[in-house]
Every structure is written in C-alpha cells, then in structure tokens.
Short mmCIF file of all heavy atoms in Angstrom, two decimals:
data_model
loop_
_atom_site.label_atom_id
_atom_site.label_comp_id
_atom_site.label_asym_id
_atom_site.label_seq_id
_atom_site.Cartn_x
_atom_site.Cartn_y
_atom_site.Cartn_z
N MET A 1 -8.70 -32.81 -7.65
CA MET A 1 -7.29 -32.55 -7.88
C MET A 1 -6.53 -32.99 -6.64
O MET A 1 -6.82 -32.55 -5.54
CB MET A 1 -7.09 -31.06 -8.18
CG MET A 1 -5.67 -30.73 -8.42
SD MET A 1 -5.26 -28.96 -8.53
CE MET A 1 -6.38 -28.32 -9.71
N ALA A 2 -5.57 -33.83 -6.79
CA ALA A 2 -4.77 -34.32 -5.67
C ALA A 2 -3.92 -33.19 -5.10
O ALA A 2 -3.34 -32.39 -5.82
CB ALA A 2 -3.89 -35.46 -6.14
N GLY A 3 -3.84 -33.15 -3.78
CA GLY A 3 -2.99 -32.17 -3.13
C GLY A 3 -3.61 -30.80 -2.95
O GLY A 3 -2.98 -29.91 -2.42
N SER A 4 -4.84 -30.59 -3.41
CA SER A 4 -5.44 -29.26 -3.25
C SER A 4 -5.94 -29.10 -1.82
O SER A 4 -6.35 -30.06 -1.17
CB SER A 4 -6.58 -29.05 -4.24
OG SER A 4 -7.62 -29.96 -3.99
N VAL A 5 -5.87 -27.89 -1.33
CA VAL A 5 -6.28 -27.58 0.03
C VAL A 5 -7.36 -26.51 -0.06
O VAL A 5 -7.19 -25.51 -0.75
CB VAL A 5 -5.08 -27.05 0.85
CG1 VAL A 5 -5.51 -26.64 2.24
CG2 VAL A 5 -3.97 -28.07 0.89
N PRO A 6 -8.49 -26.70 0.62
CA PRO A 6 -9.53 -25.67 0.57
C PRO A 6 -9.05 -24.38 1.21
O PRO A 6 -8.31 -24.40 2.20
CB PRO A 6 -10.70 -26.28 1.35
CG PRO A 6 -10.11 -27.37 2.16
CD PRO A 6 -8.86 -27.82 1.46
N LEU A 7 -9.46 -23.26 0.64
CA LEU A 7 -9.09 -21.96 1.17
C LEU A 7 -10.02 -21.59 2.32
O LEU A 7 -11.22 -21.85 2.25
CB LEU A 7 -9.19 -20.89 0.08
CG LEU A 7 -8.21 -21.02 -1.07
CD1 LEU A 7 -8.53 -19.98 -2.14
CD2 LEU A 7 -6.79 -20.84 -0.58
N PRO A 8 -9.50 -20.96 3.35
CA PRO A 8 -10.37 -20.52 4.44
C PRO A 8 -11.23 -19.35 3.97
O PRO A 8 -10.85 -18.59 3.08
CB PRO A 8 -9.39 -20.08 5.53
CG PRO A 8 -8.14 -19.74 4.80
CD PRO A 8 -8.10 -20.65 3.59
N ALA A 9 -12.40 -19.20 4.55
CA ALA A 9 -13.27 -18.08 4.21
C ALA A 9 -12.63 -16.79 4.71
O ALA A 9 -12.04 -16.75 5.80
CB ALA A 9 -14.63 -18.27 4.85
N LEU A 10 -12.72 -15.75 3.92
CA LEU A 10 -12.17 -14.46 4.32
C LEU A 10 -13.21 -13.74 5.18
O LEU A 10 -14.36 -13.60 4.78
CB LEU A 10 -11.87 -13.59 3.10
CG LEU A 10 -10.76 -14.07 2.19
CD1 LEU A 10 -10.67 -13.18 0.96
CD2 LEU A 10 -9.44 -14.08 2.92
N SER A 11 -12.82 -13.29 6.36
CA SER A 11 -13.75 -12.55 7.20
C SER A 11 -13.72 -11.06 6.84
O SER A 11 -14.64 -10.33 7.17
CB SER A 11 -13.41 -12.73 8.67
OG SER A 11 -12.10 -12.26 8.93
N GLU A 12 -12.64 -10.64 6.17
CA GLU A 12 -12.50 -9.24 5.79
C GLU A 12 -11.65 -9.15 4.53
O GLU A 12 -10.68 -9.88 4.37
CB GLU A 12 -11.84 -8.48 6.94
CG GLU A 12 -11.76 -7.01 6.72
CD GLU A 12 -11.21 -6.30 7.95
OE1 GLU A 12 -11.64 -6.60 9.07
OE2 GLU A 12 -10.32 -5.45 7.76
N TYR A 13 -12.04 -8.24 3.64
CA TYR A 13 -11.29 -8.03 2.41
C TYR A 13 -11.44 -6.57 2.03
O TYR A 13 -12.53 -6.00 2.16
CB TYR A 13 -11.84 -8.92 1.29
CG TYR A 13 -11.14 -8.70 -0.02
CD1 TYR A 13 -9.89 -9.26 -0.26
CD2 TYR A 13 -11.71 -7.91 -1.01
CE1 TYR A 13 -9.23 -9.04 -1.45
CE2 TYR A 13 -11.05 -7.70 -2.21
CZ TYR A 13 -9.82 -8.27 -2.43
OH TYR A 13 -9.17 -8.04 -3.61
N GLY A 14 -10.37 -5.95 1.58
CA GLY A 14 -10.46 -4.55 1.20
C GLY A 14 -9.40 -4.15 0.21
O GLY A 14 -8.41 -4.86 0.02
N PHE A 15 -9.63 -2.99 -0.42
CA PHE A 15 -8.67 -2.45 -1.38
C PHE A 15 -8.91 -0.95 -1.52
O PHE A 15 -10.03 -0.48 -1.33
CB PHE A 15 -8.79 -3.15 -2.74
CG PHE A 15 -10.17 -3.10 -3.32
CD1 PHE A 15 -10.55 -2.06 -4.16
CD2 PHE A 15 -11.09 -4.09 -3.01
CE1 PHE A 15 -11.84 -2.02 -4.69
CE2 PHE A 15 -12.37 -4.06 -3.55
CZ PHE A 15 -12.75 -3.02 -4.38
N PRO A 16 -7.86 -0.19 -1.85
CA PRO A 16 -8.02 1.24 -2.12
C PRO A 16 -8.25 1.46 -3.62
O PRO A 16 -7.83 0.65 -4.45
CB PRO A 16 -6.69 1.83 -1.68
CG PRO A 16 -5.71 0.73 -1.96
CD PRO A 16 -6.46 -0.56 -1.72
N LEU A 17 -8.91 2.56 -3.95
CA LEU A 17 -9.07 2.91 -5.36
C LEU A 17 -9.11 4.42 -5.54
O LEU A 17 -9.23 5.16 -4.57
CB LEU A 17 -10.33 2.25 -5.96
CG LEU A 17 -11.68 2.52 -5.30
CD1 LEU A 17 -12.32 3.79 -5.85
CD2 LEU A 17 -12.59 1.35 -5.57
N ARG A 18 -8.98 4.84 -6.77
CA ARG A 18 -9.06 6.26 -7.12
C ARG A 18 -10.38 6.46 -7.84
O ARG A 18 -10.72 5.72 -8.77
CB ARG A 18 -7.91 6.67 -8.03
CG ARG A 18 -7.99 8.13 -8.41
CD ARG A 18 -6.75 8.54 -9.19
NE ARG A 18 -6.81 9.96 -9.44
CZ ARG A 18 -7.04 10.50 -10.63
NH1 ARG A 18 -7.19 9.73 -11.68
NH2 ARG A 18 -7.08 11.80 -10.77
N TYR A 19 -11.14 7.47 -7.41
CA TYR A 19 -12.44 7.73 -8.03
C TYR A 19 -12.70 9.22 -8.09
O TYR A 19 -12.72 9.90 -7.05
CB TYR A 19 -13.55 7.03 -7.23
CG TYR A 19 -14.92 7.26 -7.77
CD1 TYR A 19 -15.34 6.62 -8.94
CD2 TYR A 19 -15.82 8.11 -7.14
CE1 TYR A 19 -16.60 6.83 -9.46
CE2 TYR A 19 -17.08 8.32 -7.65
CZ TYR A 19 -17.47 7.69 -8.80
OH TYR A 19 -18.72 7.91 -9.32
N ARG A 20 -12.86 9.75 -9.28
CA ARG A 20 -13.20 11.16 -9.51
C ARG A 20 -12.38 12.13 -8.66
O ARG A 20 -12.91 12.99 -7.97
CB ARG A 20 -14.68 11.39 -9.27
CG ARG A 20 -15.54 10.68 -10.26
CD ARG A 20 -16.96 11.10 -10.13
NE ARG A 20 -17.75 10.48 -11.20
CZ ARG A 20 -19.01 10.72 -11.43
NH1 ARG A 20 -19.64 11.60 -10.68
NH2 ARG A 20 -19.64 10.12 -12.40
N GLY A 21 -11.08 11.99 -8.72
CA GLY A 21 -10.19 12.89 -8.01
C GLY A 21 -9.88 12.49 -6.58
O GLY A 21 -9.02 13.07 -5.95
N HIS A 22 -10.60 11.53 -6.05
CA HIS A 22 -10.33 11.02 -4.71
C HIS A 22 -9.28 9.91 -4.82
O HIS A 22 -9.45 8.96 -5.56
CB HIS A 22 -11.59 10.40 -4.08
CG HIS A 22 -12.66 11.38 -3.78
ND1 HIS A 22 -12.68 12.14 -2.63
CD2 HIS A 22 -13.76 11.73 -4.48
CE1 HIS A 22 -13.75 12.89 -2.63
NE2 HIS A 22 -14.43 12.67 -3.74
N TRP A 23 -8.20 10.06 -4.07
CA TRP A 23 -7.15 9.04 -4.03
C TRP A 23 -7.30 8.25 -2.74
O TRP A 23 -7.51 8.83 -1.68
CB TRP A 23 -5.77 9.69 -4.08
CG TRP A 23 -5.45 10.27 -5.41
CD1 TRP A 23 -5.79 11.53 -5.85
CD2 TRP A 23 -4.77 9.65 -6.47
NE1 TRP A 23 -5.34 11.71 -7.13
CE2 TRP A 23 -4.70 10.56 -7.54
CE3 TRP A 23 -4.20 8.39 -6.63
CZ2 TRP A 23 -4.09 10.27 -8.74
CZ3 TRP A 23 -3.58 8.10 -7.84
CH2 TRP A 23 -3.53 9.04 -8.87
N GLY A 24 -7.20 6.94 -2.79
CA GLY A 24 -7.22 6.12 -1.59
C GLY A 24 -8.60 5.88 -0.99
O GLY A 24 -8.71 5.69 0.21
N VAL A 25 -9.64 5.89 -1.82
CA VAL A 25 -10.97 5.54 -1.33
C VAL A 25 -10.91 4.07 -0.90
O VAL A 25 -10.52 3.20 -1.67
CB VAL A 25 -12.05 5.74 -2.40
CG1 VAL A 25 -13.40 5.23 -1.91
CG2 VAL A 25 -12.14 7.20 -2.81
N GLY A 26 -11.27 3.81 0.34
CA GLY A 26 -11.20 2.45 0.86
C GLY A 26 -12.52 1.72 0.65
O GLY A 26 -13.58 2.22 1.01
N VAL A 27 -12.44 0.55 0.04
CA VAL A 27 -13.60 -0.32 -0.13
C VAL A 27 -13.27 -1.59 0.63
O VAL A 27 -12.24 -2.21 0.39
CB VAL A 27 -13.87 -0.62 -1.62
CG1 VAL A 27 -15.05 -1.56 -1.77
CG2 VAL A 27 -14.12 0.67 -2.39
N ARG A 28 -14.13 -1.96 1.58
CA ARG A 28 -13.86 -3.11 2.43
C ARG A 28 -15.14 -3.90 2.64
O ARG A 28 -16.22 -3.33 2.72
CB ARG A 28 -13.32 -2.61 3.77
CG ARG A 28 -12.96 -3.69 4.73
CD ARG A 28 -12.25 -3.13 5.96
NE ARG A 28 -11.08 -2.34 5.63
CZ ARG A 28 -9.88 -2.83 5.32
NH1 ARG A 28 -9.70 -4.13 5.27
NH2 ARG A 28 -8.87 -2.04 5.07
N LEU A 29 -14.99 -5.20 2.72
CA LEU A 29 -16.10 -6.08 3.03
C LEU A 29 -15.79 -6.73 4.37
O LEU A 29 -14.79 -7.44 4.51
CB LEU A 29 -16.27 -7.14 1.94
CG LEU A 29 -17.49 -8.03 2.07
CD1 LEU A 29 -18.77 -7.21 1.92
CD2 LEU A 29 -17.46 -9.12 1.01
N ARG A 30 -16.59 -6.42 5.39
CA ARG A 30 -16.40 -6.96 6.74
C ARG A 30 -17.65 -7.72 7.13
O ARG A 30 -18.74 -7.14 7.17
CB ARG A 30 -16.24 -5.85 7.77
CG ARG A 30 -14.97 -5.10 7.71
CD ARG A 30 -15.00 -4.05 8.83
NE ARG A 30 -14.06 -3.01 8.55
CZ ARG A 30 -13.07 -2.68 9.36
NH1 ARG A 30 -12.93 -3.28 10.50
NH2 ARG A 30 -12.24 -1.74 9.03
N SER A 31 -17.50 -8.98 7.43
CA SER A 31 -18.63 -9.81 7.87
C SER A 31 -19.83 -9.68 6.93
O SER A 31 -20.96 -9.57 7.37
CB SER A 31 -19.02 -9.46 9.29
OG SER A 31 -17.93 -9.63 10.16
N GLY A 32 -19.55 -9.58 5.63
CA GLY A 32 -20.62 -9.50 4.65
C GLY A 32 -21.21 -8.12 4.45
O GLY A 32 -22.14 -7.95 3.67
N GLN A 33 -20.70 -7.11 5.15
CA GLN A 33 -21.21 -5.75 5.03
C GLN A 33 -20.17 -4.87 4.33
O GLN A 33 -19.04 -4.75 4.79
CB GLN A 33 -21.53 -5.15 6.41
CG GLN A 33 -22.55 -5.93 7.20
CD GLN A 33 -23.89 -6.01 6.51
OE1 GLN A 33 -24.37 -5.07 5.90
NE2 GLN A 33 -24.51 -7.18 6.59
N PRO A 34 -20.55 -4.24 3.20
CA PRO A 34 -19.61 -3.37 2.51
C PRO A 34 -19.44 -2.03 3.23
O PRO A 34 -20.39 -1.49 3.78
CB PRO A 34 -20.24 -3.17 1.13
CG PRO A 34 -21.67 -3.51 1.30
CD PRO A 34 -21.79 -4.41 2.49
N GLU A 35 -18.20 -1.56 3.22
CA GLU A 35 -17.86 -0.29 3.87
C GLU A 35 -17.08 0.56 2.87
O GLU A 35 -16.22 0.06 2.16
CB GLU A 35 -17.00 -0.59 5.09
CG GLU A 35 -16.49 0.62 5.82
CD GLU A 35 -15.59 0.22 6.97
OE1 GLU A 35 -16.11 -0.16 8.03
OE2 GLU A 35 -14.36 0.29 6.78
N VAL A 36 -17.38 1.85 2.82
CA VAL A 36 -16.67 2.79 1.94
C VAL A 36 -16.12 3.91 2.81
O VAL A 36 -16.87 4.53 3.57
CB VAL A 36 -17.62 3.37 0.86
CG1 VAL A 36 -16.89 4.39 0.00
CG2 VAL A 36 -18.19 2.26 0.00
N ALA A 37 -14.82 4.15 2.71
CA ALA A 37 -14.16 5.22 3.46
C ALA A 37 -13.54 6.19 2.47
O ALA A 37 -12.74 5.80 1.62
CB ALA A 37 -13.09 4.63 4.37
N VAL A 38 -13.94 7.45 2.58
CA VAL A 38 -13.43 8.50 1.68
C VAL A 38 -12.45 9.36 2.48
O VAL A 38 -12.83 9.94 3.50
CB VAL A 38 -14.59 9.36 1.14
CG1 VAL A 38 -14.06 10.44 0.20
CG2 VAL A 38 -15.61 8.49 0.42
N PRO A 39 -11.19 9.42 2.04
CA PRO A 39 -10.21 10.21 2.79
C PRO A 39 -10.51 11.72 2.69
O PRO A 39 -11.19 12.17 1.77
CB PRO A 39 -8.88 9.87 2.12
CG PRO A 39 -9.23 9.36 0.78
CD PRO A 39 -10.60 8.78 0.87
N GLU A 40 -9.99 12.45 3.66
CA GLU A 40 -10.13 13.92 3.66
C GLU A 40 -9.61 14.50 2.36
O GLU A 40 -8.55 14.09 1.88
CB GLU A 40 -9.33 14.52 4.82
CG GLU A 40 -9.94 14.32 6.18
CD GLU A 40 -11.12 15.24 6.44
OE1 GLU A 40 -11.30 16.25 5.73
OE2 GLU A 40 -11.87 14.94 7.37
N SER A 41 -10.36 15.41 1.79
CA SER A 41 -9.92 16.13 0.58
C SER A 41 -10.88 17.28 0.33
O SER A 41 -11.86 17.46 1.06
CB SER A 41 -9.91 15.19 -0.64
OG SER A 41 -11.23 14.93 -1.07
N ARG A 42 -10.61 18.04 -0.71
CA ARG A 42 -11.49 19.15 -1.10
C ARG A 42 -12.46 18.73 -2.20
O ARG A 42 -13.19 19.54 -2.72
CB ARG A 42 -10.66 20.32 -1.57
CG ARG A 42 -9.84 20.93 -0.46
CD ARG A 42 -9.02 22.08 -0.97
NE ARG A 42 -8.18 22.58 0.09
CZ ARG A 42 -8.02 23.86 0.35
NH1 ARG A 42 -8.62 24.76 -0.39
NH2 ARG A 42 -7.26 24.25 1.34
N GLU A 43 -12.45 17.44 -2.53
CA GLU A 43 -13.32 16.93 -3.59
C GLU A 43 -14.76 16.81 -3.09
O GLU A 43 -15.03 16.88 -1.90
CB GLU A 43 -12.83 15.56 -4.06
CG GLU A 43 -11.43 15.58 -4.65
CD GLU A 43 -11.32 16.41 -5.92
OE1 GLU A 43 -12.30 16.49 -6.67
OE2 GLU A 43 -10.25 17.00 -6.13
N SER A 44 -15.68 16.61 -4.02
CA SER A 44 -17.10 16.45 -3.70
C SER A 44 -17.36 15.09 -3.06
O SER A 44 -16.59 14.16 -3.23
CB SER A 44 -17.93 16.54 -4.98
OG SER A 44 -17.75 17.79 -5.59
N PRO A 45 -18.46 14.98 -2.32
CA PRO A 45 -18.84 13.68 -1.76
C PRO A 45 -19.05 12.64 -2.86
O PRO A 45 -19.29 12.99 -4.02
CB PRO A 45 -20.16 13.96 -1.03
CG PRO A 45 -20.13 15.42 -0.76
CD PRO A 45 -19.38 16.03 -1.92
N ILE A 46 -18.97 11.38 -2.50
CA ILE A 46 -19.15 10.27 -3.43
C ILE A 46 -20.51 9.64 -3.18
O ILE A 46 -20.88 9.36 -2.03
CB ILE A 46 -18.05 9.21 -3.23
CG1 ILE A 46 -16.69 9.79 -3.62
CG2 ILE A 46 -18.35 7.95 -4.03
CD1 ILE A 46 -15.53 8.85 -3.35
N ARG A 47 -21.26 9.40 -4.24
CA ARG A 47 -22.55 8.71 -4.13
C ARG A 47 -22.30 7.22 -4.35
O ARG A 47 -21.69 6.81 -5.34
CB ARG A 47 -23.51 9.25 -5.18
CG ARG A 47 -24.87 8.59 -5.14
CD ARG A 47 -25.78 9.27 -6.16
NE ARG A 47 -26.90 8.45 -6.52
CZ ARG A 47 -28.07 8.46 -5.91
NH1 ARG A 47 -28.26 9.29 -4.91
NH2 ARG A 47 -29.05 7.69 -6.30
N VAL A 48 -22.78 6.40 -3.42
CA VAL A 48 -22.61 4.95 -3.49
C VAL A 48 -24.00 4.32 -3.58
O VAL A 48 -24.88 4.65 -2.77
CB VAL A 48 -21.88 4.42 -2.23
CG1 VAL A 48 -21.72 2.91 -2.30
CG2 VAL A 48 -20.52 5.10 -2.08
N VAL A 49 -24.20 3.43 -4.56
CA VAL A 49 -25.49 2.78 -4.74
C VAL A 49 -25.29 1.27 -4.61
O VAL A 49 -24.41 0.70 -5.26
CB VAL A 49 -26.10 3.12 -6.12
CG1 VAL A 49 -27.42 2.40 -6.31
CG2 VAL A 49 -26.26 4.61 -6.29
N LEU A 50 -26.11 0.64 -3.79
CA LEU A 50 -26.08 -0.81 -3.61
C LEU A 50 -27.52 -1.30 -3.65
O LEU A 50 -28.32 -0.92 -2.78
CB LEU A 50 -25.43 -1.18 -2.28
CG LEU A 50 -25.39 -2.67 -1.95
CD1 LEU A 50 -24.46 -3.40 -2.93
CD2 LEU A 50 -24.95 -2.89 -0.53
N THR A 51 -27.84 -2.09 -4.63
CA THR A 51 -29.21 -2.56 -4.90
C THR A 51 -30.18 -1.39 -4.86
O THR A 51 -30.10 -0.53 -5.70
CB THR A 51 -29.63 -3.70 -3.95
OG1 THR A 51 -29.45 -3.33 -2.60
CG2 THR A 51 -28.88 -4.96 -4.25
N ASP A 52 -31.06 -1.31 -3.87
CA ASP A 52 -32.06 -0.24 -3.85
C ASP A 52 -31.74 0.87 -2.86
O ASP A 52 -32.59 1.69 -2.55
CB ASP A 52 -33.44 -0.83 -3.55
CG ASP A 52 -33.50 -1.48 -2.18
OD1 ASP A 52 -32.43 -1.72 -1.58
OD2 ASP A 52 -34.61 -1.76 -1.70
N GLN A 53 -30.53 0.93 -2.36
CA GLN A 53 -30.17 2.01 -1.43
C GLN A 53 -29.03 2.85 -1.99
O GLN A 53 -28.18 2.35 -2.72
CB GLN A 53 -29.80 1.45 -0.06
CG GLN A 53 -28.59 0.53 -0.07
CD GLN A 53 -28.29 -0.04 1.29
OE1 GLN A 53 -28.19 0.70 2.27
NE2 GLN A 53 -28.14 -1.35 1.36
N ALA A 54 -29.06 4.12 -1.67
CA ALA A 54 -28.01 5.04 -2.11
C ALA A 54 -27.61 5.90 -0.91
O ALA A 54 -28.46 6.34 -0.14
CB ALA A 54 -28.51 5.92 -3.24
N VAL A 55 -26.31 6.10 -0.75
CA VAL A 55 -25.79 6.96 0.31
C VAL A 55 -24.76 7.90 -0.29
O VAL A 55 -24.17 7.61 -1.33
CB VAL A 55 -25.16 6.15 1.47
CG1 VAL A 55 -26.20 5.30 2.17
CG2 VAL A 55 -24.02 5.30 0.98
N THR A 56 -24.55 9.01 0.37
CA THR A 56 -23.51 9.95 -0.03
C THR A 56 -22.46 9.97 1.07
O THR A 56 -22.81 10.16 2.24
CB THR A 56 -24.10 11.35 -0.24
OG1 THR A 56 -25.10 11.27 -1.27
CG2 THR A 56 -23.03 12.34 -0.68
N VAL A 57 -21.21 9.74 0.69
CA VAL A 57 -20.12 9.69 1.65
C VAL A 57 -19.21 10.89 1.40
O VAL A 57 -18.62 11.01 0.33
CB VAL A 57 -19.32 8.36 1.54
CG1 VAL A 57 -18.29 8.27 2.66
CG2 VAL A 57 -20.26 7.16 1.58
N ALA A 58 -19.14 11.77 2.36
CA ALA A 58 -18.33 12.99 2.23
C ALA A 58 -16.87 12.68 2.55
O ALA A 58 -16.57 11.71 3.26
CB ALA A 58 -18.85 14.05 3.19
N PRO A 59 -15.96 13.50 2.04
CA PRO A 59 -14.55 13.33 2.39
C PRO A 59 -14.37 13.33 3.91
O PRO A 59 -14.98 14.13 4.62
CB PRO A 59 -13.87 14.53 1.75
CG PRO A 59 -14.73 14.84 0.58
CD PRO A 59 -16.13 14.58 1.07
N GLY A 60 -13.57 12.37 4.41
CA GLY A 60 -13.34 12.24 5.83
C GLY A 60 -14.33 11.33 6.54
O GLY A 60 -14.23 11.11 7.74
N GLU A 61 -15.31 10.79 5.79
CA GLU A 61 -16.33 9.94 6.39
C GLU A 61 -16.20 8.48 5.93
O GLU A 61 -15.63 8.21 4.89
CB GLU A 61 -17.73 10.43 6.04
CG GLU A 61 -18.07 11.76 6.66
CD GLU A 61 -19.50 12.18 6.38
OE1 GLU A 61 -20.20 11.52 5.58
OE2 GLU A 61 -19.92 13.20 6.95
N THR A 62 -16.77 7.60 6.74
CA THR A 62 -16.85 6.17 6.42
C THR A 62 -18.30 5.76 6.56
O THR A 62 -18.99 6.20 7.47
CB THR A 62 -15.99 5.34 7.39
OG1 THR A 62 -14.63 5.76 7.25
CG2 THR A 62 -16.10 3.85 7.11
N CYS A 63 -18.77 4.93 5.64
CA CYS A 63 -20.15 4.47 5.67
C CYS A 63 -20.19 2.95 5.48
O CYS A 63 -19.54 2.42 4.60
CB CYS A 63 -20.94 5.15 4.56
SG CYS A 63 -22.66 4.62 4.49
N THR A 64 -20.97 2.28 6.33
CA THR A 64 -21.20 0.86 6.19
C THR A 64 -22.60 0.67 5.64
O THR A 64 -23.56 1.20 6.22
CB THR A 64 -21.04 0.12 7.53
OG1 THR A 64 -19.72 0.35 8.02
CG2 THR A 64 -21.28 -1.36 7.37
N LEU A 65 -22.72 -0.03 4.53
CA LEU A 65 -24.02 -0.26 3.93
C LEU A 65 -24.64 -1.54 4.47
O LEU A 65 -23.92 -2.47 4.86
CB LEU A 65 -23.89 -0.35 2.40
CG LEU A 65 -23.49 0.99 1.78
CD1 LEU A 65 -22.03 0.97 1.44
CD2 LEU A 65 -24.33 1.28 0.59
N VAL A 66 -25.94 -1.61 4.46
CA VAL A 66 -26.65 -2.79 4.94
C VAL A 66 -27.04 -3.63 3.73
O VAL A 66 -27.70 -3.14 2.81
CB VAL A 66 -27.89 -2.39 5.75
CG1 VAL A 66 -28.66 -3.63 6.18
CG2 VAL A 66 -27.50 -1.56 6.96
N VAL A 67 -26.61 -4.87 3.73
CA VAL A 67 -26.96 -5.79 2.65
C VAL A 67 -28.27 -6.47 3.04
O VAL A 67 -28.37 -7.07 4.11
CB VAL A 67 -25.86 -6.85 2.44
CG1 VAL A 67 -26.28 -7.85 1.38
CG2 VAL A 67 -24.56 -6.17 2.06
N PRO A 68 -29.31 -6.34 2.20
CA PRO A 68 -30.58 -6.96 2.54
C PRO A 68 -30.46 -8.48 2.62
O PRO A 68 -29.69 -9.10 1.90
CB PRO A 68 -31.51 -6.55 1.40
CG PRO A 68 -30.70 -5.79 0.42
CD PRO A 68 -29.31 -5.66 0.94
N ALA A 69 -31.24 -9.06 3.53
CA ALA A 69 -31.25 -10.52 3.65
C ALA A 69 -31.83 -11.14 2.40
O ALA A 69 -32.71 -10.58 1.76
CB ALA A 69 -32.08 -10.92 4.87
N ARG A 70 -31.33 -12.30 2.05
CA ARG A 70 -31.82 -12.97 0.84
C ARG A 70 -33.02 -13.81 1.13
O ARG A 70 -33.25 -14.38 2.09
CB ARG A 70 -30.74 -13.86 0.26
CG ARG A 70 -29.59 -13.04 -0.23
CD ARG A 70 -28.58 -13.96 -0.83
NE ARG A 70 -27.38 -13.22 -1.15
CZ ARG A 70 -26.52 -13.63 -2.02
NH1 ARG A 70 -26.69 -14.70 -2.68
NH2 ARG A 70 -25.46 -12.92 -2.25
#
C-alpha cells in the first residue's frame, strides 16, 4: 500500500477494567511481562492464571507474571 508507514513497537500497553466488583483493575504489558494491579477495596483477591501459573492478587497489590520462554 503506497504511503503506509510501519508502526513502532509498543514497549508498554495497559488498560483498566472492572472485574467482580473491582473497579479500575490495571492490566499492563511491560517489556513482554504482564502486570495486574488491583486497587484498594473490600473485595476478595483476584486469581490470575497465565498458561501453567496461577497467582492471587489482593486489593492494593500489584503482581508481575513471568512469561515462559518459547
């Protein structure tokens, strides 16, 4: 396509979401590593599963998951 310009690679990308009563749960990808941040609240911790690993992130905590090498 004439005039198209390649997009630069994103080094970081993130977005907030609502999950089971939690408002503003942050999901971010930094340097290929996913991060989940759960804002302070009285809600229960969130269970996050990525391939064969599972972590529980409590309100007020942030967790960076390890992506296995391919």
Side-chain angles (χ1 to χ4, degrees):
M1 180 189 308
S4 64
V5 177
L7 294 174
L10 294 175
S11 60
E12 185 175 314
Y13 178 78
F15 56 91
L17 56 87
R18 180 174 184 252
Y19 179 74
R20 294 189 175 186
H22 293 276
W23 289 86
V25 174
V27 178
R28 181 172 305 280
L29 187 64
R30 289 181 201 238
S31 301
Q33 301 299 321
E35 176 183 280
V36 177
V38 181
E40 286 284 343
S41 74
R42 293 180 184 225
E43 299 296 328
S44 299
I46 294 175
R47 180 176 160 90
V48 179
V49 178
L50 178 67
T51 54
D52 62 346
Q53 62 182 308
V55 296
T56 300
V57 186
E61 293 184 353
T62 298
C63 179
T64 301
L65 293 102
V66 177
V67 176
R70 294 182 188 202

